[in-house]
Amino acid sequence: MREGFHDDLNHLDELLADMCGSAAVAMRDATQALLTGDLSLAEQVLAADKELDTQRARCEEHAYGLLALQAPVARDLRFVLAAIYCAGKIERMGDLAAHIADTARYAHPDHAVPAELEPVFAALGDVAATMADRVADLIRTTAEGGFAELRHTDETVDALHARVLAVVTSKSWDQGHRPAIALALATRFYERFADQAVSVARRLEFAATGDLPL
Amino acid sequence: MREGFHDDLNHLDELLADMCGSAAVAMRDATQALLTGDLSLAEQVLAADKELDTQRARCEEHAYGLLALQAPVARDLRFVLAAIYCAGKIERMGDLAAHIADTARYAHPDHAVPAELEPVFAALGDVAATMADRVADLIRTTAEGGFAELRHTDETVDALHARVLAVVTSKSWDQGHRPAIALALATRFYERFADQAVSVARRLEFAATGDLPL
């Protein structure tokens, strides 16, 4: 019975880690679509987001089943509850990637990102997707210290985000208020994506240790 | 024992409903600060947000205690899990109200909202705060049908949000790209606040019925 229970917990981890992998792919594809104006890639990200919603529902059902049938306690209980929490956050990461794809779709056939900001958005996409991959690793290995690491990476995202905002709000911005608004919203989607990854890492650490790190 | 358990569940409901009340106050105060440029009111909202974070932690601890000590099943289990879920969403509502207060603070001593958009933002604040109050009612009375009602109200918020975006992205907008960006972000905070209220109502309905409404 207990062995079956730990198989069930491992299965929950696999579901969650798969969700992170999907969020990372969505983030990379959405950024590519944003930078290249690739409409069909943008639409692919939007379609894939529905799949992530389904993965979340599956993850949550599995966790509910574990709670109802096994009534886990202590560390096991924390892990199951963390999985429900994290599934919600990772689903949100997918939504945010989909919003970025939507920005690309909306700008089409123009490119949403002007040349001077292309490297910044490329970096945002790269760092954010890597954070999602890293969270998948943390789930699979239950390594500690992931929260501090992700929070550190998040500082890079915050700096890139601030740079985009500085450019689009600068007095010398001469590309109109509509592109400025689209870019200010888009950079916020990256920042929020990274925030969700950090809060997943924080919750995983709580599950492992019983202390919610500040 | 079971009677004590139901007292505990009722206490959890009270904690959650109080959180909604705090989110509604934060939304009203933040909107007032945004419309009047009241710096000290904006700072009050930011300070109150920390209290909402504490309320959320208290709510979650209480729910964890219930799960560990009572191992509830079926409807009771759904209620405890819904409470954890909702506490996270309501905390986020507070964060979004705090972002609106921050918009007011950042614009100070100017007003962030131009005269033509004042009635729209006043309506956004009013409808959003009323949604938070309504969620508190739903929690206290465990009434059904709340999700459909809140989703309907959310359409009003979406329409107001679209109106702000239409104004700040219109060709005739002549107040500069910086205020346009601030307003586009601010209106999104209202829209997201309302979304969280809807998802709380949806989760409450799931707890009551066992079916997650679409």
Side-chain angles (χ1 to χ4, degrees), chain B residues 146-180:
Chain B
F147 170 59
E149 178 197 322
L150 270 280
R151 196 169 48 169
H152 183 70
T153 314
D154 189 42
E155 288 171 15
T156 307
V157 174
D158 288 346
L160 293 164
H161 170 61
R163 200 154 138 213
V164 174
L165 285 183
V167 170
V168 300
T169 60
S170 75
K171 283 194 180 154
S172 61
W173 176 261
D174 59 3
Q175 302 190 47
H177 62 289
R178 280 192 280 187

PDB file of all heavy atoms in Angstrom, chain B residues 146-180:
ATOM      1  N   GLY B 146     -23.401  31.177  -7.908  1.00  0.00           N
ATOM      2  CA  GLY B 146     -22.526  32.343  -7.792  1.00  0.00           C
ATOM      3  C   GLY B 146     -21.562  32.471  -8.968  1.00  0.00           C
ATOM      4  O   GLY B 146     -21.249  33.576  -9.400  1.00  0.00           O
ATOM      5  N   PHE B 147     -21.122  31.325  -9.481  1.00  0.00           N
ATOM      6  CA  PHE B 147     -20.167  31.371 -10.596  1.00  0.00           C
ATOM      7  C   PHE B 147     -20.792  32.027 -11.819  1.00  0.00           C
ATOM      8  O   PHE B 147     -20.207  32.924 -12.426  1.00  0.00           O
ATOM      9  CB  PHE B 147     -19.678  29.953 -10.910  1.00  0.00           C
ATOM     10  CG  PHE B 147     -18.888  29.856 -12.173  1.00  0.00           C
ATOM     11  CD1 PHE B 147     -17.714  30.588 -12.344  1.00  0.00           C
ATOM     12  CD2 PHE B 147     -19.313  29.036 -13.213  1.00  0.00           C
ATOM     13  CE1 PHE B 147     -16.978  30.495 -13.520  1.00  0.00           C
ATOM     14  CE2 PHE B 147     -18.583  28.944 -14.385  1.00  0.00           C
ATOM     15  CZ  PHE B 147     -17.412  29.680 -14.543  1.00  0.00           C
ATOM     16  N   ALA B 148     -22.011  31.597 -12.188  1.00  0.00           N
ATOM     17  CA  ALA B 148     -22.689  32.180 -13.359  1.00  0.00           C
ATOM     18  C   ALA B 148     -22.895  33.678 -13.154  1.00  0.00           C
ATOM     19  O   ALA B 148     -22.683  34.486 -14.068  1.00  0.00           O
ATOM     20  CB  ALA B 148     -24.028  31.482 -13.593  1.00  0.00           C
ATOM     21  N   GLU B 149     -23.272  34.040 -11.927  1.00  0.00           N
ATOM     22  CA  GLU B 149     -23.514  35.459 -11.628  1.00  0.00           C
ATOM     23  C   GLU B 149     -22.228  36.277 -11.768  1.00  0.00           C
ATOM     24  O   GLU B 149     -22.210  37.316 -12.425  1.00  0.00           O
ATOM     25  CB  GLU B 149     -24.050  35.552 -10.191  1.00  0.00           C
ATOM     26  CG  GLU B 149     -24.299  36.966  -9.726  1.00  0.00           C
ATOM     27  CD  GLU B 149     -24.423  37.043  -8.202  1.00  0.00           C
ATOM     28  OE1 GLU B 149     -25.017  36.125  -7.591  1.00  0.00           O
ATOM     29  OE2 GLU B 149     -23.910  38.021  -7.634  1.00  0.00           O
ATOM     30  N   LEU B 150     -21.145  35.787 -11.167  1.00  0.00           N
ATOM     31  CA  LEU B 150     -19.878  36.527 -11.216  1.00  0.00           C
ATOM     32  C   LEU B 150     -19.327  36.581 -12.635  1.00  0.00           C
ATOM     33  O   LEU B 150     -18.761  37.579 -13.054  1.00  0.00           O
ATOM     34  CB  LEU B 150     -18.841  35.881 -10.283  1.00  0.00           C
ATOM     35  CG  LEU B 150     -18.758  36.348  -8.827  1.00  0.00           C
ATOM     36  CD1 LEU B 150     -17.979  37.642  -8.717  1.00  0.00           C
ATOM     37  CD2 LEU B 150     -20.093  36.494  -8.145  1.00  0.00           C
ATOM     38  N   ARG B 151     -19.513  35.500 -13.384  1.00  0.00           N
ATOM     39  CA  ARG B 151     -19.019  35.484 -14.757  1.00  0.00           C
ATOM     40  C   ARG B 151     -19.773  36.527 -15.592  1.00  0.00           C
ATOM     41  O   ARG B 151     -19.198  37.182 -16.449  1.00  0.00           O
ATOM     42  CB  ARG B 151     -19.159  34.092 -15.375  1.00  0.00           C
ATOM     43  CG  ARG B 151     -18.300  33.970 -16.626  1.00  0.00           C
ATOM     44  CD  ARG B 151     -18.215  32.548 -17.083  1.00  0.00           C
ATOM     45  NE  ARG B 151     -19.530  31.929 -17.118  1.00  0.00           N
ATOM     46  CZ  ARG B 151     -19.775  30.753 -17.673  1.00  0.00           C
ATOM     47  NH1 ARG B 151     -18.794  30.061 -18.205  1.00  0.00           N
ATOM     48  NH2 ARG B 151     -20.982  30.241 -17.687  1.00  0.00           N
ATOM     49  N   HIS B 152     -21.044  36.676 -15.271  1.00  0.00           N
ATOM     50  CA  HIS B 152     -21.846  37.691 -15.956  1.00  0.00           C
ATOM     51  C   HIS B 152     -21.330  39.094 -15.610  1.00  0.00           C
ATOM     52  O   HIS B 152     -21.132  39.937 -16.490  1.00  0.00           O
ATOM     53  CB  HIS B 152     -23.316  37.516 -15.557  1.00  0.00           C
ATOM     54  CG  HIS B 152     -24.228  38.464 -16.249  1.00  0.00           C
ATOM     55  ND1 HIS B 152     -24.497  38.381 -17.587  1.00  0.00           N
ATOM     56  CD2 HIS B 152     -24.887  39.558 -15.790  1.00  0.00           C
ATOM     57  CE1 HIS B 152     -25.303  39.368 -17.928  1.00  0.00           C
ATOM     58  NE2 HIS B 152     -25.557  40.102 -16.864  1.00  0.00           N
ATOM     59  N   THR B 153     -21.090  39.334 -14.313  1.00  0.00           N
ATOM     60  CA  THR B 153     -20.568  40.644 -13.904  1.00  0.00           C
ATOM     61  C   THR B 153     -19.210  40.899 -14.545  1.00  0.00           C
ATOM     62  O   THR B 153     -18.871  42.033 -14.905  1.00  0.00           O
ATOM     63  CB  THR B 153     -20.408  40.708 -12.359  1.00  0.00           C
ATOM     64  OG1 THR B 153     -21.580  40.181 -11.751  1.00  0.00           O
ATOM     65  CG2 THR B 153     -20.178  42.135 -11.896  1.00  0.00           C
ATOM     66  N   ASP B 154     -18.430  39.836 -14.702  1.00  0.00           N
ATOM     67  CA  ASP B 154     -17.098  39.965 -15.293  1.00  0.00           C
ATOM     68  C   ASP B 154     -17.161  40.505 -16.721  1.00  0.00           C
ATOM     69  O   ASP B 154     -16.231  41.166 -17.186  1.00  0.00           O
ATOM     70  CB  ASP B 154     -16.400  38.598 -15.267  1.00  0.00           C
ATOM     71  CG  ASP B 154     -14.934  38.702 -15.658  1.00  0.00           C
ATOM     72  OD1 ASP B 154     -14.256  39.645 -15.207  1.00  0.00           O
ATOM     73  OD2 ASP B 154     -14.467  37.839 -16.429  1.00  0.00           O
ATOM     74  N   GLU B 155     -18.277  40.253 -17.407  1.00  0.00           N
ATOM     75  CA  GLU B 155     -18.427  40.790 -18.770  1.00  0.00           C
ATOM     76  C   GLU B 155     -18.453  42.319 -18.751  1.00  0.00           C
ATOM     77  O   GLU B 155     -17.946  42.966 -19.669  1.00  0.00           O
ATOM     78  CB  GLU B 155     -19.703  40.243 -19.426  1.00  0.00           C
ATOM     79  CG  GLU B 155     -19.565  38.767 -19.782  1.00  0.00           C
ATOM     80  CD  GLU B 155     -20.883  38.151 -20.231  1.00  0.00           C
ATOM     81  OE1 GLU B 155     -21.831  38.899 -20.532  1.00  0.00           O
ATOM     82  OE2 GLU B 155     -20.949  36.906 -20.268  1.00  0.00           O
ATOM     83  N   THR B 156     -19.042  42.873 -17.695  1.00  0.00           N
ATOM     84  CA  THR B 156     -19.041  44.336 -17.539  1.00  0.00           C
ATOM     85  C   THR B 156     -17.606  44.841 -17.391  1.00  0.00           C
ATOM     86  O   THR B 156     -17.210  45.838 -18.003  1.00  0.00           O
ATOM     87  CB  THR B 156     -19.857  44.747 -16.286  1.00  0.00           C
ATOM     88  OG1 THR B 156     -21.148  44.156 -16.380  1.00  0.00           O
ATOM     89  CG2 THR B 156     -19.967  46.253 -16.166  1.00  0.00           C
ATOM     90  N   VAL B 157     -16.833  44.138 -16.555  1.00  0.00           N
ATOM     91  CA  VAL B 157     -15.428  44.538 -16.364  1.00  0.00           C
ATOM     92  C   VAL B 157     -14.668  44.438 -17.688  1.00  0.00           C
ATOM     93  O   VAL B 157     -13.917  45.345 -18.049  1.00  0.00           O
ATOM     94  CB  VAL B 157     -14.756  43.669 -15.275  1.00  0.00           C
ATOM     95  CG1 VAL B 157     -13.266  43.961 -15.176  1.00  0.00           C
ATOM     96  CG2 VAL B 157     -15.430  43.899 -13.927  1.00  0.00           C
ATOM     97  N   ASP B 158     -14.887  43.353 -18.411  1.00  0.00           N
ATOM     98  CA  ASP B 158     -14.190  43.187 -19.698  1.00  0.00           C
ATOM     99  C   ASP B 158     -14.536  44.323 -20.663  1.00  0.00           C
ATOM    100  O   ASP B 158     -13.665  44.808 -21.396  1.00  0.00           O
ATOM    101  CB  ASP B 158     -14.545  41.834 -20.336  1.00  0.00           C
ATOM    102  CG  ASP B 158     -13.882  40.677 -19.594  1.00  0.00           C
ATOM    103  OD1 ASP B 158     -12.964  40.929 -18.778  1.00  0.00           O
ATOM    104  OD2 ASP B 158     -14.283  39.518 -19.808  1.00  0.00           O
ATOM    105  N   ALA B 159     -15.810  44.734 -20.645  1.00  0.00           N
ATOM    106  CA  ALA B 159     -16.230  45.811 -21.550  1.00  0.00           C
ATOM    107  C   ALA B 159     -15.578  47.140 -21.155  1.00  0.00           C
ATOM    108  O   ALA B 159     -15.122  47.904 -22.009  1.00  0.00           O
ATOM    109  CB  ALA B 159     -17.753  45.934 -21.548  1.00  0.00           C
ATOM    110  N   LEU B 160     -15.512  47.404 -19.845  1.00  0.00           N
ATOM    111  CA  LEU B 160     -14.867  48.643 -19.370  1.00  0.00           C
ATOM    112  C   LEU B 160     -13.375  48.622 -19.701  1.00  0.00           C
ATOM    113  O   LEU B 160     -12.794  49.625 -20.135  1.00  0.00           O
ATOM    114  CB  LEU B 160     -15.082  48.800 -17.861  1.00  0.00           C
ATOM    115  CG  LEU B 160     -16.531  49.057 -17.403  1.00  0.00           C
ATOM    116  CD1 LEU B 160     -16.677  48.802 -15.898  1.00  0.00           C
ATOM    117  CD2 LEU B 160     -16.953  50.496 -17.732  1.00  0.00           C
ATOM    118  N   HIS B 161     -12.768  47.474 -19.491  1.00  0.00           N
ATOM    119  CA  HIS B 161     -11.341  47.275 -19.797  1.00  0.00           C
ATOM    120  C   HIS B 161     -11.085  47.539 -21.290  1.00  0.00           C
ATOM    121  O   HIS B 161     -10.151  48.256 -21.662  1.00  0.00           O
ATOM    122  CB  HIS B 161     -10.994  45.833 -19.416  1.00  0.00           C
ATOM    123  CG  HIS B 161      -9.653  45.353 -19.857  1.00  0.00           C
ATOM    124  ND1 HIS B 161      -8.471  45.936 -19.450  1.00  0.00           N
ATOM    125  CD2 HIS B 161      -9.290  44.328 -20.670  1.00  0.00           C
ATOM    126  CE1 HIS B 161      -7.446  45.287 -20.001  1.00  0.00           C
ATOM    127  NE2 HIS B 161      -7.922  44.318 -20.742  1.00  0.00           N
ATOM    128  N   ALA B 162     -11.945  46.987 -22.132  1.00  0.00           N
ATOM    129  CA  ALA B 162     -11.797  47.181 -23.581  1.00  0.00           C
ATOM    130  C   ALA B 162     -11.944  48.664 -23.935  1.00  0.00           C
ATOM    131  O   ALA B 162     -11.257  49.165 -24.839  1.00  0.00           O
ATOM    132  CB  ALA B 162     -12.842  46.343 -24.330  1.00  0.00           C
ATOM    133  N   ARG B 163     -12.817  49.359 -23.187  1.00  0.00           N
ATOM    134  CA  ARG B 163     -13.026  50.777 -23.477  1.00  0.00           C
ATOM    135  C   ARG B 163     -11.763  51.586 -23.159  1.00  0.00           C
ATOM    136  O   ARG B 163     -11.368  52.463 -23.935  1.00  0.00           O
ATOM    137  CB  ARG B 163     -14.206  51.290 -22.644  1.00  0.00           C
ATOM    138  CG  ARG B 163     -14.765  52.540 -23.240  1.00  0.00           C
ATOM    139  CD  ARG B 163     -16.226  52.715 -22.867  1.00  0.00           C
ATOM    140  NE  ARG B 163     -16.454  54.112 -22.544  1.00  0.00           N
ATOM    141  CZ  ARG B 163     -17.323  54.534 -21.642  1.00  0.00           C
ATOM    142  NH1 ARG B 163     -18.065  53.663 -20.989  1.00  0.00           N
ATOM    143  NH2 ARG B 163     -17.465  55.825 -21.416  1.00  0.00           N
ATOM    144  N   VAL B 164     -11.133  51.283 -22.026  1.00  0.00           N
ATOM    145  CA  VAL B 164      -9.886  51.983 -21.684  1.00  0.00           C
ATOM    146  C   VAL B 164      -8.844  51.714 -22.767  1.00  0.00           C
ATOM    147  O   VAL B 164      -8.194  52.647 -23.264  1.00  0.00           O
ATOM    148  CB  VAL B 164      -9.336  51.530 -20.309  1.00  0.00           C
ATOM    149  CG1 VAL B 164      -7.965  52.165 -20.051  1.00  0.00           C
ATOM    150  CG2 VAL B 164     -10.299  51.894 -19.189  1.00  0.00           C
ATOM    151  N   LEU B 165      -8.700  50.457 -23.158  1.00  0.00           N
ATOM    152  CA  LEU B 165      -7.690  50.118 -24.174  1.00  0.00           C
ATOM    153  C   LEU B 165      -7.999  50.835 -25.488  1.00  0.00           C
ATOM    154  O   LEU B 165      -7.090  51.311 -26.171  1.00  0.00           O
ATOM    155  CB  LEU B 165      -7.615  48.608 -24.387  1.00  0.00           C
ATOM    156  CG  LEU B 165      -6.904  47.819 -23.282  1.00  0.00           C
ATOM    157  CD1 LEU B 165      -6.835  46.342 -23.650  1.00  0.00           C
ATOM    158  CD2 LEU B 165      -5.495  48.352 -23.006  1.00  0.00           C
ATOM    159  N   ALA B 166      -9.297  50.911 -25.850  1.00  0.00           N
ATOM    160  CA  ALA B 166      -9.662  51.580 -27.105  1.00  0.00           C
ATOM    161  C   ALA B 166      -9.256  53.053 -27.056  1.00  0.00           C
ATOM    162  O   ALA B 166      -8.732  53.597 -28.033  1.00  0.00           O
ATOM    163  CB  ALA B 166     -11.169  51.448 -27.355  1.00  0.00           C
ATOM    164  N   VAL B 167      -9.465  53.695 -25.894  1.00  0.00           N
ATOM    165  CA  VAL B 167      -9.112  55.120 -25.779  1.00  0.00           C
ATOM    166  C   VAL B 167      -7.599  55.309 -25.851  1.00  0.00           C
ATOM    167  O   VAL B 167      -7.108  56.140 -26.620  1.00  0.00           O
ATOM    168  CB  VAL B 167      -9.686  55.727 -24.473  1.00  0.00           C
ATOM    169  CG1 VAL B 167      -9.118  57.129 -24.222  1.00  0.00           C
ATOM    170  CG2 VAL B 167     -11.208  55.778 -24.544  1.00  0.00           C
ATOM    171  N   VAL B 168      -6.851  54.532 -25.067  1.00  0.00           N
ATOM    172  CA  VAL B 168      -5.396  54.796 -25.012  1.00  0.00           C
ATOM    173  C   VAL B 168      -4.669  54.318 -26.264  1.00  0.00           C
ATOM    174  O   VAL B 168      -3.533  54.735 -26.507  1.00  0.00           O
ATOM    175  CB  VAL B 168      -4.722  54.221 -23.739  1.00  0.00           C
ATOM    176  CG1 VAL B 168      -5.347  54.837 -22.484  1.00  0.00           C
ATOM    177  CG2 VAL B 168      -4.763  52.711 -23.696  1.00  0.00           C
ATOM    178  N   THR B 169      -5.296  53.440 -27.047  1.00  0.00           N
ATOM    179  CA  THR B 169      -4.634  53.003 -28.288  1.00  0.00           C
ATOM    180  C   THR B 169      -5.224  53.717 -29.526  1.00  0.00           C
ATOM    181  O   THR B 169      -4.830  53.396 -30.646  1.00  0.00           O
ATOM    182  CB  THR B 169      -4.772  51.471 -28.505  1.00  0.00           C
ATOM    183  OG1 THR B 169      -6.156  51.145 -28.587  1.00  0.00           O
ATOM    184  CG2 THR B 169      -4.108  50.680 -27.397  1.00  0.00           C
ATOM    185  N   SER B 170      -6.147  54.655 -29.312  1.00  0.00           N
ATOM    186  CA  SER B 170      -6.764  55.306 -30.481  1.00  0.00           C
ATOM    187  C   SER B 170      -5.772  56.256 -31.150  1.00  0.00           C
ATOM    188  O   SER B 170      -4.847  56.761 -30.504  1.00  0.00           O
ATOM    189  CB  SER B 170      -8.018  56.070 -30.064  1.00  0.00           C
ATOM    190  OG  SER B 170      -7.633  57.256 -29.399  1.00  0.00           O
ATOM    191  N   LYS B 171      -5.984  56.471 -32.428  1.00  0.00           N
ATOM    192  CA  LYS B 171      -5.105  57.384 -33.170  1.00  0.00           C
ATOM    193  C   LYS B 171      -5.174  58.793 -32.613  1.00  0.00           C
ATOM    194  O   LYS B 171      -4.219  59.549 -32.686  1.00  0.00           O
ATOM    195  CB  LYS B 171      -5.498  57.380 -34.647  1.00  0.00           C
ATOM    196  CG  LYS B 171      -4.992  56.136 -35.361  1.00  0.00           C
ATOM    197  CD  LYS B 171      -5.060  56.262 -36.860  1.00  0.00           C
ATOM    198  CE  LYS B 171      -4.537  54.965 -37.499  1.00  0.00           C
ATOM    199  NZ  LYS B 171      -5.089  54.724 -38.814  1.00  0.00           N
ATOM    200  N   SER B 172      -6.329  59.155 -32.044  1.00  0.00           N
ATOM    201  CA  SER B 172      -6.506  60.535 -31.583  1.00  0.00           C
ATOM    202  C   SER B 172      -5.920  60.764 -30.175  1.00  0.00           C
ATOM    203  O   SER B 172      -5.981  61.873 -29.653  1.00  0.00           O
ATOM    204  CB  SER B 172      -7.997  60.879 -31.592  1.00  0.00           C
ATOM    205  OG  SER B 172      -8.681  60.011 -30.715  1.00  0.00           O
ATOM    206  N   TRP B 173      -5.387  59.696 -29.548  1.00  0.00           N
ATOM    207  CA  TRP B 173      -4.783  59.858 -28.212  1.00  0.00           C
ATOM    208  C   TRP B 173      -3.628  60.852 -28.311  1.00  0.00           C
ATOM    209  O   TRP B 173      -2.719  60.662 -29.114  1.00  0.00           O
ATOM    210  CB  TRP B 173      -4.275  58.501 -27.713  1.00  0.00           C
ATOM    211  CG  TRP B 173      -3.561  58.575 -26.390  1.00  0.00           C
ATOM    212  CD1 TRP B 173      -2.217  58.598 -26.186  1.00  0.00           C
ATOM    213  CD2 TRP B 173      -4.160  58.612 -25.091  1.00  0.00           C
ATOM    214  NE1 TRP B 173      -1.928  58.659 -24.851  1.00  0.00           N
ATOM    215  CE2 TRP B 173      -3.108  58.672 -24.148  1.00  0.00           C
ATOM    216  CE3 TRP B 173      -5.473  58.619 -24.632  1.00  0.00           C
ATOM    217  CZ2 TRP B 173      -3.322  58.727 -22.776  1.00  0.00           C
ATOM    218  CZ3 TRP B 173      -5.697  58.671 -23.262  1.00  0.00           C
ATOM    219  CH2 TRP B 173      -4.642  58.724 -22.349  1.00  0.00           C
ATOM    220  N   ASP B 174      -3.678  61.916 -27.495  1.00  0.00           N
ATOM    221  CA  ASP B 174      -2.655  62.961 -27.644  1.00  0.00           C
ATOM    222  C   ASP B 174      -1.977  63.283 -26.312  1.00  0.00           C
ATOM    223  O   ASP B 174      -1.414  64.357 -26.140  1.00  0.00           O
ATOM    224  CB  ASP B 174      -3.289  64.227 -28.248  1.00  0.00           C
ATOM    225  CG  ASP B 174      -4.425  64.751 -27.378  1.00  0.00           C
ATOM    226  OD1 ASP B 174      -4.679  64.169 -26.293  1.00  0.00           O
ATOM    227  OD2 ASP B 174      -5.063  65.733 -27.784  1.00  0.00           O
ATOM    228  N   GLN B 175      -2.059  62.329 -25.361  1.00  0.00           N
ATOM    229  CA  GLN B 175      -1.479  62.641 -24.046  1.00  0.00           C
ATOM    230  C   GLN B 175      -0.166  61.911 -23.799  1.00  0.00           C
ATOM    231  O   GLN B 175       0.250  61.747 -22.643  1.00  0.00           O
ATOM    232  CB  GLN B 175      -2.508  62.328 -22.963  1.00  0.00           C
ATOM    233  CG  GLN B 175      -3.772  63.139 -23.239  1.00  0.00           C
ATOM    234  CD  GLN B 175      -4.772  63.101 -22.118  1.00  0.00           C
ATOM    235  OE1 GLN B 175      -4.419  63.275 -20.951  1.00  0.00           O
ATOM    236  NE2 GLN B 175      -6.017  62.872 -22.455  1.00  0.00           N
ATOM    237  N   GLY B 176       0.446  61.454 -24.869  1.00  0.00           N
ATOM    238  CA  GLY B 176       1.774  60.866 -24.715  1.00  0.00           C
ATOM    239  C   GLY B 176       1.738  59.370 -24.477  1.00  0.00           C
ATOM    240  O   GLY B 176       0.719  58.819 -24.044  1.00  0.00           O
ATOM    241  N   HIS B 177       2.859  58.719 -24.762  1.00  0.00           N
ATOM    242  CA  HIS B 177       2.877  57.262 -24.661  1.00  0.00           C
ATOM    243  C   HIS B 177       3.059  56.781 -23.227  1.00  0.00           C
ATOM    244  O   HIS B 177       2.633  55.702 -22.871  1.00  0.00           O
ATOM    245  CB  HIS B 177       3.953  56.671 -25.584  1.00  0.00           C
ATOM    246  CG  HIS B 177       5.345  57.085 -25.255  1.00  0.00           C
ATOM    247  ND1 HIS B 177       5.831  58.370 -25.466  1.00  0.00           N
ATOM    248  CD2 HIS B 177       6.381  56.397 -24.737  1.00  0.00           C
ATOM    249  CE1 HIS B 177       7.090  58.425 -25.089  1.00  0.00           C
ATOM    250  NE2 HIS B 177       7.449  57.253 -24.647  1.00  0.00           N
ATOM    251  N   ARG B 178       3.670  57.620 -22.356  1.00  0.00           N
ATOM    252  CA  ARG B 178       3.869  57.165 -20.983  1.00  0.00           C
ATOM    253  C   ARG B 178       2.558  57.025 -20.206  1.00  0.00           C
ATOM    254  O   ARG B 178       2.305  55.981 -19.598  1.00  0.00           O
ATOM    255  CB  ARG B 178       4.870  58.057 -20.257  1.00  0.00           C
ATOM    256  CG  ARG B 178       6.284  57.646 -20.667  1.00  0.00           C
ATOM    257  CD  ARG B 178       7.317  58.263 -19.796  1.00  0.00           C
ATOM    258  NE  ARG B 178       7.566  59.641 -20.205  1.00  0.00           N
ATOM    259  CZ  ARG B 178       8.537  60.387 -19.701  1.00  0.00           C
ATOM    260  NH1 ARG B 178       9.323  59.903 -18.766  1.00  0.00           N
ATOM    261  NH2 ARG B 178       8.722  61.615 -20.119  1.00  0.00           N
ATOM    262  N   PRO B 179       1.695  58.059 -20.221  1.00  0.00           N
ATOM    263  CA  PRO B 179       0.394  57.861 -19.553  1.00  0.00           C
ATOM    264  C   PRO B 179      -0.412  56.719 -20.189  1.00  0.00           C
ATOM    265  O   PRO B 179      -1.112  55.980 -19.485  1.00  0.00           O
ATOM    266  CB  PRO B 179      -0.313  59.202 -19.761  1.00  0.00           C
ATOM    267  CG  PRO B 179       0.787  60.187 -19.990  1.00  0.00           C
ATOM    268  CD  PRO B 179       1.875  59.439 -20.688  1.00  0.00           C
ATOM    269  N   ALA B 180      -0.277  56.559 -21.509  1.00  0.00           N
ATOM    270  CA  ALA B 180      -1.016  55.476 -22.177  1.00  0.00           C
ATOM    271  C   ALA B 180      -0.592  54.113 -21.633  1.00  0.00           C
ATOM    272  O   ALA B 180      -1.428  53.240 -21.365  1.00  0.00           O
ATOM    273  CB  ALA B 180      -0.793  55.546 -23.690  1.00  0.00           C
TER     274      ALA B 180
END
